[in-house]
Amino acid sequence: MTTPTTQATDPHAGEPDVPPSSSGNLGDIVRAYIARLRGGDLGSLPAVLGLIVLVAVFSALRPERFPSAFNIANLLNQSAAVVVLAMGLVFVLLLGEIDLSAGFTGGTAAAVTGVVMTQHGWGWIPSLLTGLATGALIGAVIGLLVARLGIPSFVVTLAFFLGLQGVVLVIIGEGGTIAYRNEVILKLNNNPMPVWLGWTLAVVALALYALLTWRTDSRRRRHGLEAQPVLLWAIKTGALVVLVLAFVAFLSQERSPNPTLKSIKGVPLVVAIIVGLLVVLTYLLDRTAWGRHIYAVGGNAEASRRSGISVARIKLTCFIMCSTLAALAGLLIASRNNSASPTTGGGTFLLYGVGAAVIGGTSLFGGRGRVSNAIIGGLVISVIDNGMGLLRQSTGNVYMITGLVLLVAAGVDAISRRQATASGRA
C-alpha cells in the first residue's frame, strides 16, 4: 500500500502554522489557522466536530442515560481496547502499510497470557510481559517478511489473520475459554482509580504539559525557530486545564446504582493507561529521529532511502510496535470480559481499530497522522455504538452508521490531500 507520491510529513498536522514574529494577537492566530485549513491540513478537526455533534444528539435523545457518569465511564472502558489497537495501527498506516492480523494478534496474546497465568500459576507481571512479547514476536515476523522479502503487507497480514485464528483455536479449543482470575489484570479495564489518585495525576499531568510546552517554545524562540505565540499557548493550555479538571470532577461523582452496596467513583484506570501511552508514543513520533524517519518513509520511501534512512528497519520496528500494542489491546478485552476465548480480537475489532485511526485523521496514504487520532476516532466509534444501543437500534443500523462515518472520513482525507497538493503543502 506504500505510495510513491511525496506528501507533507509534518507530525504537527492540524496545528496553527504561524510565524513567530507576526502572530502575537488572536486575529493573526485565527487567520493562520484558517489558511492552514484551506490548504488541506484539517488534522483531527472533522473528527472532533463529529464527536461533539454525536454526543449532543445522543444526549438530547437519551438525556437520562447517555450523559450520565455511569454511562460515560462504561463507554470509556468499552472503547479502551479499540483505542489502543488504533494507536498501534497508526504506526503502520503512517508508512502507507496495513496490518490485517492485528485483531487476532491481540487474541493470541490474550490466550498465551491466560495459559501462563491461569494454568501455570505465573504472577501478573511475567504473564503480562509474556503477552506483550508474543505480540512483539508476531510483529517482528511480519515486519521481516514485509521489509526484507518485499511481500506486500496486505498479503502477509492476511495470511497471519487466518493463521492466528487457528493458533487461538489450538490454544483455547473450539467453544472453550480461559478464565482470568488475577485481580490486577481484571482491574485494568474494569475498575476506577481512587478519587484522590485521579485528581493527583490530572494536576501533575497538566503542570508538566504547561511547563514542557512553555520550555519548548521558549527554546525555539531563542534559536530563531518557529514557535507558537504565547497567546496561543495560553489558550490551548487553559482549554486543556478546564476540560481535564471538568472531566475528573464529573467522573469523581458517585455513579453506582446502589451506593450502599458498592460505591463506584473515580476515573477509570484504563484512562491513565491510555494517557500514558499517548504521552510516550507522541514523544517517540515527535521528538526522536525514529519518529521523524517514520513520517519521511511514509511520505516518500524512495527519497528516504536515498537520504540514508534504513527503510527496512523503520518498517520492521513499526510492525513490532503495532503488534505489541495489539497484544495490549487483546489483554484489555480479556480483562473486560474476565476471560480469553476464540472470539477475542475477532469480529469487528480490527475493522473498528482501522476505522478509529482513519476517522481520527490518520491518512491511509501514509506520512500524516498522530497517536491522538486513535483516541478521537475510537471515541467516535464507541459513542455511535453506545448511543445507538441506548436507542435500541439494531446491530445492522450500528454497522451502517459506522461505515458511513468511516467513508466520510476517508473522503475528507482524499479531499484534504488534493487541497494540500494544490496549495503546495504536499
Side-chain angles (χ1 to χ4, degrees):
M1 291 183 64
T2 305
T3 176
T5 57
T6 303
Q7 66 183 69
T9 59
D10 179 13
H12 300 282
E15 297 179 3
D17 184 14
V18 287
S21 60
S22 62
S23 54
N25 61 67
L26 184 59
D28 287 337
I29 293 172
V30 173
R31 282 190 292 272
Y33 187 64
I34 292 175
R36 191 157 188 168
L37 293 178
R38 288 176 176 174
D41 199 349
L42 301 180
S44 297
L45 181 62
V48 172
L49 294 177
L51 181 62
I52 293 173
V53 170
L54 287 170
V55 170
V57 169
F58 289 129
S59 296
L61 294 177
R62 291 304 301 269
E64 76 288 354
R65 292 285 302 279
F66 183 83
S68 67
F70 181 85
N71 186 61
I72 296 301
N74 184 56
L75 187 152
L76 293 172
N77 286 120
Q78 290 175 338
S79 66
V82 170
V83 167
V84 173
L85 178 67
M87 284 179 165
L89 288 167
V90 164
F91 284 84
V92 294
L93 292 175
L94 283 173
L95 300 177
E97 305 285 355
I98 191 66
D99 187 351
L100 300 177
S101 66
F104 278 107
T105 296
T108 303
V112 170
T113 301
V115 168
V116 299
M117 181 174 58
T118 302
Q119 298 181 7
H120 297 283
W122 289 19
W124 72 271
I125 293 180
S127 298
L128 183 62
L129 293 177
T130 300
L132 297 178
T134 299
L137 177 61
I138 293 171
V141 176
I142 293 174
L144 288 172
L145 293 173
V146 173
R148 299 297 181 184
L149 295 185
I151 306 175
S153 59
F154 181 90
V155 176
V156 173
T157 58
L158 178 60
F160 272 76
F161 170 84
L162 297 172
L164 290 177
Q165 290 186 65
V167 171
V168 174
L169 283 173
V170 169
I171 294 174
I172 299 178
E174 295 189 31
T177 60
I178 299 177
Y180 274 39
R181 298 189 178 91
N182 186 281
E183 290 297 322
V184 176
I185 298 294
L186 293 177
K187 287 179 180 178
L188 291 180
N189 201 15
N190 288 294
N191 286 31
M193 294 180 285
V195 173
W196 67 267
L197 181 58
W199 280 108
T200 302
L201 292 178
V203 172
V204 170
L206 289 170
L208 288 175
Y209 171 83
L211 176 62
L212 293 176
T213 52
W214 175 266
R215 290 183 59 184
T216 299
D217 290 341
S218 299
R219 185 167 58 249
R220 291 180 66 86
R221 291 191 192 94
R222 286 196 303 269
H223 290 85
L225 301 175
E226 181 180 312
Q228 64 179 344
V230 175
L231 178 59
L232 179 58
W233 172 86
I235 292 173
K236 293 168 65 174
T237 303
L240 184 64
V241 168
V242 171
L243 288 174
V244 171
L245 295 184
F247 172 78
V248 175
F250 180 66
L251 290 181
S252 295
Q253 305 175 68
E254 179 61 63
R255 57 179 181 269
S256 174
N258 190 351
T260 58
L261 183 62
K262 181 181 180 181
S263 176
I264 305 176
K265 52 186 176 181
V267 178
L269 178 59
V270 75
V271 173
I273 296 174
I274 290 175
V275 172
L277 287 174
L278 173 65
V279 172
V280 172
L281 299 178
T282 299
Y283 175 83
L284 291 175
L285 282 177
D286 290 0
R287 306 295 181 184
T288 66
W290 179 65
R292 291 189 291 272
H293 290 170
I294 291 173
Y295 284 105
V297 171
N300 192 316
E302 183 57 31
S304 300
R305 183 179 293 107
R306 292 180 179 179
S307 67
I309 296 174
S310 175
V311 175
R313 181 180 65 85
I314 293 299
K315 288 186 176 182
L316 173 62
T317 52
C318 282
F319 276 102
I320 292 175
M321 177 66 77
C322 177
S323 293
T324 302
L325 290 172
L328 178 58
L331 292 172
L332 291 178
I333 294 178
S335 171
R336 181 71 175 165
N337 296 332
N338 299 335
S339 65
S341 72
T343 61
T344 301
T348 59
F349 184 48
L350 171 68
L351 301 180
Y352 278 4
V354 175
V358 175
I359 289 171
T362 300
S363 175
L364 285 168
F365 301 96
R368 187 170 63 188
R370 297 176 63 81
V371 178
S372 57
N373 298 155
I375 297 178
I376 299 170
L379 288 176
V380 169
I381 289 177
S382 295
V383 165
I384 293 172
D385 194 39
N386 182 275
M388 296 286 280
L390 292 178
L391 293 175
R392 300 182 184 277
Q393 295 296 309
S394 67
T395 303
N397 289 338
V398 175
Y399 288 166
M400 287 190 289
I401 295 297
T402 306
L404 177 62
V405 171
L406 176 58
L407 185 62
V408 170
V412 169
D413 177 36
I415 294 171
S416 65
R417 280 172 50 82
R418 187 182 308 165
Q419 290 178 332
T421 301
S423 65
R425 289 183 176 270

Coordinates of all heavy atoms in Angstrom, one line a residue, residues 346-418:
G346 N -11.5 -10.9 17.5 CA -12.2 -11.2 16.2 C -13.4 -10.3 16.0 O -13.5 -9.2 16.6
G347 N -14.3 -10.7 15.1 CA -15.4 -9.9 14.8 C -15.1 -8.5 14.2 O -14.2 -8.5 13.2
T348 N -15.6 -7.5 14.7 CA -15.4 -6.1 14.1 C -14.2 -5.4 14.8 O -14.0 -4.3 14.5 CB -16.6 -5.3 14.3 OG1 -16.9 -5.1 15.7 CG2 -17.8 -5.9 13.5
F349 N -13.5 -6.1 15.6 CA -12.4 -5.5 16.4 C -11.4 -4.8 15.5 O -11.0 -3.6 15.7 CB -11.8 -6.5 17.3 CG -10.7 -5.9 18.2 CD1 -11.0 -4.8 19.0 CD2 -9.5 -6.5 18.4 CE1 -10.0 -4.2 19.9 CE2 -8.5 -6.0 19.2 CZ -8.8 -4.9 20.0
L350 N -10.8 -5.5 14.5 CA -9.8 -5.0 13.6 C -10.4 -3.8 12.8 O -9.8 -2.8 12.7 CB -9.3 -6.1 12.7 CG -8.4 -5.5 11.6 CD1 -7.1 -5.0 12.1 CD2 -8.1 -6.6 10.5
L351 N -11.6 -4.0 12.3 CA -12.2 -3.0 11.4 C -12.5 -1.7 12.2 O -12.2 -0.6 11.7 CB -13.6 -3.5 10.9 CG -13.5 -4.8 10.0 CD1 -14.9 -5.2 9.5 CD2 -12.5 -4.6 8.9
Y352 N -12.9 -1.9 13.5 CA -13.1 -0.7 14.3 C -11.7 0.0 14.6 O -11.6 1.2 14.7 CB -13.7 -1.1 15.6 CG -15.2 -1.2 15.5 CD1 -15.9 -1.0 14.3 CD2 -16.0 -1.5 16.7 CE1 -17.3 -1.1 14.2 CE2 -17.4 -1.5 16.6 CZ -18.0 -1.4 15.4 OH -19.4 -1.5 15.3
G353 N -10.7 -0.8 14.8 CA -9.4 -0.2 15.0 C -8.9 0.6 13.9 O -8.4 1.7 14.0
V354 N -8.9 0.0 12.7 CA -8.6 0.8 11.5 C -9.5 2.0 11.3 O -9.0 3.1 11.0 CB -8.6 -0.1 10.2 CG1 -8.3 0.7 9.0 CG2 -7.6 -1.3 10.3
G355 N -10.8 1.8 11.5 CA -11.7 2.9 11.4 C -11.4 4.0 12.3 O -11.5 5.2 12.0
A356 N -11.0 3.7 13.6 CA -10.7 4.7 14.6 C -9.6 5.5 14.2 O -9.6 6.8 14.3 CB -10.5 4.0 15.9
A357 N -8.5 4.9 13.6 CA -7.3 5.7 13.2 C -7.7 6.6 12.1 O -7.3 7.8 12.0 CB -6.2 4.7 12.8
V358 N -8.4 6.1 11.1 CA -8.7 6.9 9.9 C -9.7 8.0 10.2 O -9.6 9.1 9.8 CB -9.3 6.0 8.8 CG1 -9.8 6.8 7.6 CG2 -8.2 5.0 8.3
I359 N -10.8 7.7 11.0 CA -11.8 8.7 11.4 C -11.1 9.8 12.2 O -11.4 11.0 12.0 CB -12.9 8.0 12.2 CG1 -13.7 7.1 11.3 CG2 -13.8 9.1 12.9 CD1 -14.8 6.3 12.0
G360 N -10.1 9.4 13.0 CA -9.4 10.4 13.8 C -8.5 11.4 13.0 O -8.2 12.4 13.5
G361 N -8.2 11.0 11.8 CA -7.4 11.9 11.0 C -6.1 11.3 10.4 O -5.4 12.0 9.7
T362 N -5.8 10.0 10.7 CA -4.6 9.4 10.1 C -4.9 9.1 8.6 O -5.9 8.5 8.3 CB -4.2 8.1 10.9 OG1 -4.0 8.5 12.2 CG2 -3.0 7.5 10.3
S363 N -3.9 9.4 7.8 CA -4.1 9.2 6.3 C -3.8 7.8 6.0 O -2.9 7.2 6.4 CB -3.2 10.1 5.5 OG -3.3 9.9 4.2
L364 N -4.7 7.2 5.1 CA -4.4 5.9 4.6 C -3.3 5.8 3.6 O -2.8 4.8 3.2 CB -5.7 5.4 3.9 CG -6.9 4.9 4.8 CD1 -8.1 4.7 4.0 CD2 -6.5 3.6 5.5
F365 N -2.9 7.0 3.1 CA -1.8 7.1 2.1 C -0.4 7.2 2.7 O 0.6 7.3 2.0 CB -2.1 8.3 1.1 CG -3.4 8.1 0.5 CD1 -4.5 8.8 1.0 CD2 -3.6 7.4 -0.7 CE1 -5.8 8.7 0.3 CE2 -4.8 7.3 -1.3 CZ -5.9 7.9 -0.8
G366 N -0.3 7.3 4.0 CA 0.9 7.4 4.7 C 1.4 8.8 4.9 O 1.0 9.7 4.2
G367 N 2.3 9.0 5.9 CA 3.0 10.2 6.1 C 2.3 11.3 6.9 O 2.8 12.3 7.2
R368 N 1.0 11.0 7.3 CA 0.3 12.0 8.0 C -0.6 11.4 9.0 O -1.4 10.5 8.7 CB -0.6 12.9 7.1 CG -1.2 14.1 7.7 CD -1.9 15.0 6.7 NE -2.9 14.3 6.0 CZ -3.5 14.9 4.9 NH1 -3.1 16.1 4.5 NH2 -4.5 14.2 4.3
G369 N -0.5 11.8 10.3 CA -1.3 11.2 11.4 C -0.6 11.4 12.7 O 0.6 11.6 12.8
R370 N -1.3 11.2 13.8 CA -0.8 11.3 15.1 C -1.5 10.3 16.0 O -2.5 9.8 15.7 CB -1.1 12.7 15.7 CG -0.4 13.9 14.9 CD -0.8 15.2 15.5 NE -0.4 15.4 16.9 CZ 0.8 15.7 17.3 NH1 1.8 16.0 16.3 NH2 1.1 15.9 18.5
V371 N -0.8 9.9 17.1 CA -1.4 8.9 18.0 C -2.7 9.4 18.6 O -3.6 8.6 18.8 CB -0.3 8.6 19.1 CG1 -0.9 7.7 20.1 CG2 1.0 8.1 18.6
S372 N -2.8 10.7 18.8 CA -4.1 11.2 19.3 C -5.3 11.0 18.4 O -6.4 11.0 18.9 CB -3.9 12.8 19.6 OG -3.6 13.4 18.4
N373 N -5.0 10.8 17.1 CA -6.1 10.5 16.2 C -6.8 9.2 16.6 O -8.0 9.1 16.4 CB -5.5 10.3 14.8 CG -4.9 11.5 14.2 OD1 -4.0 11.4 13.3 ND2 -5.2 12.7 14.7
A374 N -6.0 8.3 17.1 CA -6.6 7.0 17.5 C -7.6 7.2 18.7 O -8.7 6.5 18.7 CB -5.5 6.0 18.0
I375 N -7.3 8.1 19.6 CA -8.2 8.3 20.7 C -9.5 9.0 20.3 O -10.6 8.5 20.6 CB -7.5 9.2 21.8 CG1 -6.3 8.5 22.3 CG2 -8.5 9.5 22.9 CD1 -5.5 9.3 23.4
I376 N -9.4 10.0 19.4 CA -10.6 10.7 19.0 C -11.4 9.8 18.1 O -12.6 9.7 18.3 CB -10.1 12.0 18.2 CG1 -9.3 12.9 19.0 CG2 -11.4 12.7 17.6 CD1 -8.7 14.0 18.3
G377 N -10.8 9.1 17.2 CA -11.6 8.2 16.3 C -12.2 7.0 17.1 O -13.3 6.6 16.8
G378 N -11.5 6.5 18.1 CA -12.0 5.4 18.9 C -13.2 5.9 19.7 O -14.2 5.2 19.9
L379 N -13.2 7.1 20.2 CA -14.3 7.7 20.9 C -15.5 7.9 20.0 O -16.7 7.6 20.4 CB -14.0 9.0 21.6 CG -13.0 8.9 22.8 CD1 -12.6 10.3 23.3 CD2 -13.6 8.1 23.9
V380 N -15.3 8.3 18.8 CA -16.4 8.5 17.8 C -17.1 7.1 17.6 O -18.3 7.1 17.7 CB -15.9 9.0 16.5 CG1 -16.9 8.9 15.4 CG2 -15.4 10.5 16.6
I381 N -16.3 6.1 17.3 CA -16.9 4.8 17.1 C -17.7 4.3 18.3 O -18.8 3.7 18.2 CB -15.8 3.8 16.7 CG1 -15.4 4.1 15.3 CG2 -16.3 2.3 16.7 CD1 -14.2 3.2 14.8
S382 N -17.1 4.4 19.5 CA -17.7 4.0 20.7 C -19.0 4.8 21.1 O -19.9 4.2 21.6 CB -16.7 4.0 21.9 OG -15.6 3.1 21.7
V383 N -19.0 6.1 20.8 CA -20.2 6.9 21.0 C -21.3 6.4 20.1 O -22.5 6.3 20.6 CB -19.9 8.4 20.8 CG1 -21.1 9.2 20.7 CG2 -19.0 8.9 22.0
I384 N -21.0 6.1 18.9 CA -22.0 5.6 18.0 C -22.6 4.3 18.5 O -23.8 4.1 18.6 CB -21.4 5.4 16.5 CG1 -21.1 6.8 15.9 CG2 -22.4 4.7 15.6 CD1 -20.3 6.6 14.6
D385 N -21.7 3.4 18.8 CA -22.1 2.0 19.3 C -22.9 2.2 20.6 O -24.0 1.5 20.7 CB -20.9 1.2 19.5 CG -21.2 -0.3 19.7 OD1 -22.1 -0.8 19.0 OD2 -20.6 -0.9 20.5
N386 N -22.4 3.0 21.5 CA -23.1 3.1 22.8 C -24.4 3.8 22.7 O -25.5 3.4 23.2 CB -22.2 3.9 23.8 CG -22.8 4.1 25.1 OD1 -23.5 5.0 25.4 ND2 -22.4 3.2 26.1
G387 N -24.4 4.9 21.9 CA -25.6 5.7 21.8 C -26.7 5.0 21.0 O -27.9 5.0 21.4
M388 N -26.4 4.3 19.9 CA -27.3 3.5 19.2 C -27.9 2.4 20.0 O -29.1 2.0 19.9 CB -26.7 3.0 17.9 CG -26.2 4.0 16.9 SD -27.6 4.8 16.0 CE -27.9 3.6 14.8
G389 N -27.0 1.8 20.9 CA -27.5 0.7 21.8 C -28.6 1.3 22.7 O -29.6 0.6 23.0
L390 N -28.3 2.5 23.3 CA -29.3 3.1 24.2 C -30.6 3.4 23.5 O -31.7 3.4 24.2 CB -28.7 4.3 24.9 CG -27.5 4.1 25.8 CD1 -27.0 5.4 26.3 CD2 -27.9 3.2 27.0
L391 N -30.5 3.7 22.2 CA -31.7 4.0 21.4 C -32.4 2.7 20.9 O -33.4 2.7 20.2 CB -31.4 4.8 20.2 CG -30.9 6.3 20.6 CD1 -30.5 7.0 19.3 CD2 -32.0 7.0 21.3
R392 N -31.8 1.5 21.3 CA -32.4 0.2 21.0 C -32.4 0.0 19.4 O -33.3 -0.6 18.9 CB -33.8 0.0 21.5 CG -33.9 0.1 23.0 CD -35.3 -0.1 23.6 NE -35.4 0.0 25.0 CZ -35.1 -0.9 25.9 NH1 -34.6 -2.1 25.5 NH2 -35.2 -0.6 27.2
Q393 N -31.4 0.5 18.8 CA -31.2 0.3 17.4 C -30.6 -1.1 17.1 O -29.8 -1.6 17.9 CB -30.4 1.4 16.7 CG -31.0 2.8 16.8 CD -32.3 2.8 16.0 OE1 -32.3 2.5 14.8 NE2 -33.3 3.3 16.6
S394 N -30.8 -1.6 16.0 CA -30.3 -3.0 15.6 C -28.8 -2.9 15.3 O -28.3 -1.8 15.0 CB -31.0 -3.5 14.4 OG -30.7 -2.8 13.3
T395 N -28.2 -4.0 15.4 CA -26.7 -4.1 15.1 C -26.5 -3.7 13.7 O -25.5 -3.0 13.3 CB -26.2 -5.5 15.3 OG1 -26.5 -5.9 16.7 CG2 -24.7 -5.6 15.0
G396 N -27.4 -4.0 12.8 CA -27.3 -3.6 11.4 C -27.2 -2.1 11.2 O -26.4 -1.6 10.4
N397 N -28.1 -1.4 11.9 CA -28.1 0.1 11.8 C -26.8 0.6 12.4 O -26.2 1.6 11.8 CB -29.2 0.6 12.6 CG -30.6 0.4 11.9 OD1 -30.6 0.2 10.7 ND2 -31.7 0.4 12.7
V398 N -26.2 0.0 13.5 CA -25.0 0.5 14.0 C -23.9 0.3 13.0 O -23.0 1.2 12.8 CB -24.6 -0.3 15.3 CG1 -23.2 0.1 15.8 CG2 -25.7 0.0 16.4
Y399 N -23.8 -0.8 12.3 CA -22.8 -1.1 11.3 C -22.9 -0.1 10.2 O -21.9 0.4 9.7 CB -22.9 -2.5 10.8 CG -22.4 -3.6 11.7 CD1 -22.7 -4.9 11.5 CD2 -21.7 -3.3 12.9 CE1 -22.3 -5.9 12.4 CE2 -21.3 -4.2 13.8 CZ -21.6 -5.6 13.5 OH -21.2 -6.5 14.4
M400 N -24.1 0.2 9.7 CA -24.3 1.1 8.6 C -23.9 2.5 8.9 O -23.2 3.2 8.1 CB -25.8 1.1 8.2 CG -26.2 -0.2 7.4 SD -27.8 -0.1 6.7 CE -28.9 -0.1 8.1
I401 N -24.2 3.0 10.1 CA -23.8 4.3 10.5 C -22.3 4.4 10.7 O -21.7 5.4 10.2 CB -24.5 4.7 11.9 CG1 -26.0 4.8 11.7 CG2 -24.0 6.1 12.4 CD1 -26.5 5.9 10.7
T402 N -21.7 3.4 11.3 CA -20.3 3.4 11.5 C -19.5 3.4 10.1 O -18.6 4.1 9.9 CB -19.8 2.2 12.3 OG1 -20.5 2.2 13.6 CG2 -18.3 2.3 12.6
G403 N -20.1 2.6 9.2 CA -19.5 2.5 7.9 C -19.6 3.8 7.1 O -18.7 4.3 6.4
L404 N -20.7 4.5 7.3 CA -20.9 5.8 6.7 C -19.9 6.8 7.2 O -19.3 7.6 6.5 CB -22.4 6.3 6.9 CG -22.7 7.7 6.4 CD1 -22.5 7.7 4.8 CD2 -24.1 8.1 6.7
V405 N -19.7 6.8 8.6 CA -18.8 7.8 9.2 C -17.4 7.5 8.7 O -16.6 8.4 8.4 CB -18.8 7.6 10.7 CG1 -17.7 8.4 11.3 CG2 -20.2 8.1 11.2
L406 N -17.0 6.2 8.5 CA -15.7 5.9 8.0 C -15.5 6.3 6.6 O -14.5 6.9 6.2 CB -15.5 4.4 8.1 CG -14.1 3.8 7.6 CD1 -12.9 4.5 8.2 CD2 -14.1 2.3 7.7
L407 N -16.5 6.1 5.8 CA -16.5 6.6 4.4 C -16.3 8.1 4.3 O -15.5 8.6 3.5 CB -17.8 6.1 3.7 CG -17.8 6.4 2.1 CD1 -16.7 5.7 1.4 CD2 -19.2 6.0 1.6
V408 N -17.0 8.8 5.1 CA -16.9 10.3 5.1 C -15.5 10.7 5.5 O -14.9 11.6 4.9 CB -17.9 10.9 6.1 CG1 -17.7 12.4 6.3 CG2 -19.4 10.7 5.6
A409 N -14.9 10.0 6.5 CA -13.6 10.3 7.0 C -12.6 10.1 5.9 O -11.6 10.9 5.7 CB -13.2 9.5 8.2
A410 N -12.7 8.9 5.1 CA -11.8 8.6 4.0 C -12.0 9.7 2.9 O -11.0 10.1 2.3 CB -12.1 7.2 3.5
G411 N -13.2 10.1 2.7 CA -13.4 11.2 1.7 C -12.8 12.5 2.1 O -12.2 13.2 1.2
V412 N -12.9 12.8 3.3 CA -12.3 14.1 3.8 C -10.8 14.0 3.7 O -10.1 15.0 3.3 CB -12.6 14.3 5.3 CG1 -11.8 15.4 5.9 CG2 -14.1 14.7 5.4
D413 N -10.2 12.8 4.0 CA -8.8 12.6 3.8 C -8.3 12.8 2.3 O -7.3 13.5 2.1 CB -8.4 11.2 4.3 CG -6.9 10.9 4.1 OD1 -6.1 11.8 4.3 OD2 -6.6 9.7 3.8
A414 N -9.1 12.2 1.4 CA -8.7 12.3 0.0 C -8.9 13.8 -0.5 O -8.0 14.3 -1.2 CB -9.7 11.5 -0.8
I415 N -9.9 14.5 0.0 CA -10.1 15.9 -0.4 C -9.0 16.8 0.1 O -8.5 17.7 -0.5 CB -11.5 16.4 0.0 CG1 -12.6 15.6 -0.8 CG2 -11.6 17.9 -0.2 CD1 -14.0 15.9 -0.3
S416 N -8.7 16.6 1.4 CA -7.7 17.4 2.1 C -6.3 17.2 1.4 O -5.5 18.1 1.3 CB -7.6 17.1 3.6 OG -7.2 15.7 3.8
R417 N -6.0 15.9 1.0 CA -4.7 15.7 0.3 C -4.7 16.4 -1.1 O -3.7 17.0 -1.5 CB -4.6 14.2 0.0 CG -4.1 13.4 1.2 CD -4.1 11.9 0.9 NE -3.5 11.5 -0.3 CZ -2.2 11.4 -0.5 NH1 -1.4 11.5 0.6 NH2 -1.7 11.1 -1.6
R418 N -5.8 16.4 -1.8 CA -5.9 17.2 -3.0 C -5.7 18.6 -2.8 O -5.0 19.3 -3.6 CB -7.3 16.9 -3.7 CG -7.4 17.4 -5.1 CD -8.8 17.2 -5.6 NE -9.1 15.8 -5.5 CZ -10.4 15.3 -5.6 NH1 -11.4 16.2 -5.8 NH2 -10.6 14.0 -5.5

